[in-house]
Structures are given as C-alpha cells and as structure tokens.
Amino acid sequence: MLEYSEPVAKLIDEFKRLPGVGHKSAQRLAFYILRRSAEDVERFVDALHEVKEKIVFCVVCNNMTDINPCMYCTSTGRDRSQICIVEEPYNLVAVEKTRSYKGLYHILHGSLSPIRGVGPDELMLANLLPRLMPENNDGVDVKEVIVATNPTTEGEATANYIARLLKPLGVRVTRIAM
C-alpha cells in the first residue's frame, strides 16, 4: 500500500477530523494545499488563527461573532418581542437570507441526542430564560418564541423540550413551517 510522508499523512489526518470529510476528500484537500504557493498557504493559516483569536460567543444569543454582543442583539431595528431559536449559527444565516424575519435569535449549538450523549445541559439554553424577562430585553415583553430546529428526530425532540420548558411562562411558542 502506498504510504505518504509523515507531514502529508498528518495533514490528511487533520482534514479527516473535519465534519463530512472522508479519506479521499482529505487527500484532495492536502494535495490542493501542497500545490498552493507559500503565500496562499500563509493566508489560509492566518485566517485560521484569526478566527480562533477573534471569534467569541455572543453573551446574549450565543451567535459566533467578533463583537460582543453581536450585531443582531445590538440592532435597534429588530423586533425584540420575538426570538427565533436555531440549532447552529449557519441556521441563523439561512433565516436571515429570507429577509422576512426581523426578530432576535437564540443559538443552541446543537440538538438533543441521547445516543450522542447530548442532553439539555449540553445545549446553550441557560441564557434563554433570562432573555424572556422585560428587564433583560430593553423593557420589551417577549410575545413569541419561534423554534426553528431542524426537521430531524433530534430537532423535533429539542423543539418539544423547549416548548415544555417555556409553557409555564405563558410565552407563545411556535414551530417554523416545513
């Protein structure tokens, strides 16, 4: 069997650690990097370092941002009476692309999955309940929480859990249409 030199094998192994990247894709990425100029690779490395140094979780909604609180939480033009709960930051981007939602967001960074060992404590839910209080939301009552988790078994379980969690508070909980 053909074996690569140690630095190439290590690079392939690191690429394989990325979600959705198998052995063949990792090989393609590694050889792509090897064909790039030193300047191109340095820009890539700098971008990786910069994202790790500057990106943090928004203290309000858990979005990944370089300013804290994020631009959605600090925007004066957003409807503070609505909060849309999504699983991941890229789900927020998908909702924003519709240009029809003008409320706030809450990012969970995952969904409930007992098989993978992800319970309610592993989701970023702790800062959701305080946000529903007017004194923590610029004096505005949250009237609706829209649960926009993915239409998977885990997403549905997460949506049901959140609905049961918020029901005693009297906040209207709706599910995004599919």
Side-chain angles (χ1 to χ4, degrees):
M1 181 172 148
L2 178 66
E3 292 191 26
Y4 298 111
S5 62
E6 185 180 347
V8 175
K10 283 172 52 177
L11 183 58
I12 291 169
D13 286 342
E14 289 303 316
F15 279 128
K16 284 191 328 193
R17 296 176 69 177
L18 296 172
V21 177
H23 187 73
K24 286 188 178 193
S25 294
Q27 284 177 319
R28 279 193 291 275
L29 290 169
F31 284 105
Y32 174 80
I33 293 291
L34 286 168
R35 286 190 302 271
R36 304 308 312 158
S37 69
E39 294 82 21
D40 287 348
V41 174
E42 194 59 40
R43 274 197 310 277
F44 182 69
V45 169
D46 289 345
L48 289 173
H49 281 294
E50 185 175 6
V51 78
K52 287 305 289 179
E53 291 171 2
K54 294 184 178 179
I55 301 299
V56 296
F57 292 125
C58 173
V59 295
V60 178
C61 73
N62 307 318
N63 191 17
M64 297 172 94
T65 182
D66 59 342
I67 56 170
N68 203 3
C70 73
M71 66 180 189
Y72 300 105
C73 292
T74 57
S75 173
T76 57
R78 299 200 77 90
D79 181 358
R80 303 191 84 68
S81 70
Q82 287 185 323
I83 296 177
C84 180
I85 299 176
V86 296
E87 290 180 20
E88 300 290 347
Y90 55 80
N91 299 131
L92 178 154
V93 173
V95 173
E96 279 296 298
K97 281 183 179 178
T98 68
R99 297 185 187 263
S100 60
Y101 178 71
K102 301 296 179 207
L104 299 176
Y105 292 96
H106 189 86
I107 294 93
L108 300 172
H109 291 275
S111 59
L112 295 175
S113 177
I115 290 174
R116 290 184 287 128
V118 179
D121 293 338
E122 283 72 41
L123 300 181
M124 293 184 143
L125 280 166
N127 57 342
L128 176 62
L129 296 180
R131 294 183 67 192
L132 304 178
M133 308 302 169
E135 59 270 18
N136 298 328
N137 192 28
D138 291 342
V140 177
D141 274 322
V142 173
K143 301 205 182 321
E144 181 181 22
V145 173
I146 303 164
V147 183
T149 53
N150 294 324
T152 61
T153 304
E154 291 90 356
E156 291 298 324
T158 305
N160 288 333
Y161 177 82
I162 292 170
R164 284 193 313 269
L165 182 70
L166 299 181
K167 186 173 185 171
L169 301 176
V171 176
R172 180 177 174 208
V173 178
T174 57
R175 188 81 168 102
I176 195 165
M178 293 175 233

